[in-house]
């Protein structure tokens, strides 16, 4: 069964709930890391680290996070090495963030993305593989680029670690 992690703050709660229902109906095993109750919300800066750590620890390959704009979740998630979050507002961008950038966290804004569109975006994100549908030369380039970016990321995290 396909596993996915999902989470939101108060502003992304209803988008998250709609997307979660759609994914469950499509056979995904969905784990919700919060907010579980809109009357007792968790802020984006508490939800995103929970999800990012689970991606970092390889408990999940992909996560979907929703806040007001998607930007707060992305900013916090991207503070974790190995986590590559993309703010997405279209199905096309969902496909490209996976095919070109190999993003492993999708973030969306509950103030921006309608629920049905959010479900379409989430499905495209989850169904698209890295380099899928791209020309051979572009696949080779992007795989090399991914390795280069990983080296940049690792150097950045090593240089910021206290001695």
């Amino acid at each position: 069964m396909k596993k996915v992690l999902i989470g939101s703050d108060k502003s992304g709660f209803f988008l998250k709930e709609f997307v979660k229902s759609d994914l469950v109906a499509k056979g995904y095993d969905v784990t919700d890391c919060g907010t579980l109750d809109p009357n007792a919300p968790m802020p984006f800066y508490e939800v995103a680290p929970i999800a990012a750590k689970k991606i970092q620890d390889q408990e999940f390959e992909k996560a979907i996070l929703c806040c007001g704009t998607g930007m707060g979740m992305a900013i916090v998630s991207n503070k974790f090495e190995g986590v590559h979050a993309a703010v997405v507002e279209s199905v096309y961008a969902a496909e490209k963030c996976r095919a070109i950038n190999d993003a492993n966290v999708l973030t969306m804004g509950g103030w921006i993305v309608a629920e049905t569109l959010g479900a379409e975006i989430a499905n495209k994100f989850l169904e698209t593989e890295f380099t899928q549908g791209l020309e051979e030369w572009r696949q080779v380039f992007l795989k090399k680029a991914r390795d280069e970016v990983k080296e940049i990321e690792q150097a950045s995290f090593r240089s910021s670690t206290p001695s």
Side-chain angles (χ1 to χ4, degrees), residues 2-69:
K2 304 169 279 187
K3 283 177 35 172
V4 64
L5 184 63
I6 197 165
S8 74
D9 65 5
K10 183 176 182 174
S11 299
F13 180 80
F14 293 106
L15 176 58
K16 176 201 69 162
E17 290 297 306
F18 189 90
V19 169
K20 180 169 66 172
S21 295
D22 182 70
L23 293 175
V24 168
K26 288 186 166 90
Y28 283 89
D29 176 10
V30 181
T31 300
D32 192 330
C33 63
T35 290
L36 301 176
D37 178 353
N39 296 314
M42 296 168 63
F44 71 92
Y45 55 83
E46 289 180 7
V47 176
I50 293 168
K53 187 73 173 137
K54 290 182 182 295
I55 294 289
Q56 195 175 51
D57 292 344
Q58 300 178 352
E59 292 179 49
F60 291 85
E61 289 183 17
K62 295 183 185 128
I64 299 167
L65 301 174
C66 304
C67 61
T69 62

Side-chain angles (χ1 to χ4, degrees), residues 62-113:
K62 295 183 185 128
I64 299 167
L65 301 174
C66 304
C67 61
T69 62
M71 294 174 208
M73 290 289 194
I75 289 168
V76 175
S77 296
N78 283 323
K79 302 295 184 205
F80 290 77
E81 186 175 9
V83 176
H84 305 112
V87 182
V88 173
E89 297 173 0
S90 71
V91 175
Y92 180 80
E95 178 182 24
K96 296 309 175 196
C97 82
R98 286 286 308 129
I100 294 172
N101 302 111
D102 201 19
N104 53 13
V105 177
L106 166 70
T107 69
M108 295 186 285
W111 300 333
I112 299 168
V113 176

